[in-house]
Amino acid sequence: MIPPDQHLQIGSLLFEGLDQIDLTGPFEVLSRIPNSTYRIYGKTTDPVRDYRGLRITPDAAIGDAPQLDVLHVPGGFGQEALMDDTVVLDWLRQQAGHARIFSVCTGALICGAAGLLMGRRATTHWASFHLLRYFGATPVKERVVIDGNWIFAAGVTSGIDGALRLAAELRGDEVAQGIQLFMEYAPQPPFNSGTPETAPATVLAQTRQSVAKITAQREATAQRIATKLGIIVPTAAE
């Protein structure tokens, strides 16, 4: 836990085509952490749209961000456009020298493209989970994975769970529990189909098909970046 009198600078990365829940779910938690400043940073200050069309405006450009204590990296279909964006990747590397990094969903792949996952235990969305090894990470099949100063949340809504774990790491369990209570975060989903293991076979097949194109694109990108980083990915037989 960080001393409560130490002010925290917390920031989230915003980019075109992100999944807004990857951003706004954790926002509900991170913006309520006591004695902190929370801001959203984009590559520029221009508004962007999430991949379903929701318009979001950053508070500032990444070039104007201070050294953060916590950096939250969301995911979404727009993640692919950042995998070779040297401005964003350099900024992530610079921030990671000091900040705790909190990645949600395929935000982990962006961190991987920056070369920041090598040797780390990590997780990401189930459809991209198999790609973590291309970035030198050890994939861990858990909803939230903590590795030192890094916190990884799996897919989309798991960002809320990860943010609450992060709040507890920063300010203690009672603060995190108070935030959870204020949010009335007590999920009781109407269906037990939230993971590949519990979803009906037909639903899983249809959902896999719906993301097949972006998954194939992500795999090709991951393979290319693994080569650039000098990471040898074992085959299934190995």
Side-chain angles (χ1 to χ4, degrees):
M1 191 173 89
I2 293 177
D5 61 349
Q6 180 178 331
H7 188 81
L8 299 175
Q9 294 284 347
I10 302 173
S12 295
L13 175 64
L14 177 67
F15 54 90
E16 189 78 25
L18 86 166
D19 188 324
Q20 61 87 15
I21 298 182
D22 288 6
L23 175 76
T24 57
F27 163 81
E28 289 291 330
V29 177
L30 301 180
S31 63
R32 291 187 168 95
I33 291 177
N35 194 18
S36 70
T37 297
Y38 172 87
R39 303 191 85 194
I40 297 174
Y41 295 97
K43 189 174 179 180
T44 71
T45 57
D46 294 338
V48 303
R49 290 189 184 275
D50 97 313
Y51 88 104
R52 302 301 297 177
L54 181 67
R55 184 183 291 273
I56 308 172
T57 303
D59 296 303
I62 59 175
D64 296 323
Q67 174 59 67
L68 300 172
D69 297 293
V70 176
L71 173 58
H72 162 219
V73 184
F77 283 24
Q79 147 270 327
E80 272 293 290
L82 300 188
M83 299 296 280
D84 293 295
D85 190 317
T86 56
V87 173
V88 173
L89 298 182
D90 285 347
W91 183 71
L92 289 178
R93 294 185 195 104
Q94 178 264 315
Q95 289 289 345
H98 172 77
R100 293 173 186 245
I101 306 295
F102 170 39
S103 121
V104 178
C105 196
T106 53
L109 305 187
I110 303 172
C111 296
L116 297 173
L117 294 194
M118 288 185 277
R120 298 195 181 281
R121 300 168 67 253
T123 193
T124 189
H125 189 277
W126 59 264
S128 296
F129 184 77
H130 64 293
L131 302 181
L132 290 171
R133 60 199 180 107
Y134 289 100
F135 304 105
T138 299
V140 179
K141 198 71 173 176
E142 294 178 8
R143 190 165 171 84
V144 178
V145 174
I146 298 178
D147 186 323
N149 281 339
W150 285 66
I151 294 182
F152 299 89
V156 194
T157 58
S158 63
I160 298 175
D161 300 61
L164 287 168
R165 292 281 295 276
L166 176 56
E169 293 274 320
L170 296 172
R171 295 303 192 210
D173 288 358
E174 285 194 4
V175 167
Q177 289 167 348
I179 294 172
Q180 180 182 6
L181 177 58
F182 183 87
M183 293 169 59
E184 198 171 350
Y185 179 58
Q188 294 180 325
F191 307 106
N192 189 25
S193 60
T195 70
E197 292 77 20
T198 61
T202 54
V203 172
L204 177 58
Q206 290 167 0
T207 306
R208 281 194 189 279
Q209 183 58 38
S210 72
V211 297
K213 182 177 179 180
I214 185 64
T215 301
Q217 184 179 342
R218 284 170 171 160
E219 183 155 8
T221 300
Q223 290 173 339
R224 177 172 51 77
I225 290 174
T227 300
K228 183 168 66 173
L229 295 175
I231 296 171
I232 299 174
V233 181
T235 64
E238 296 174 317

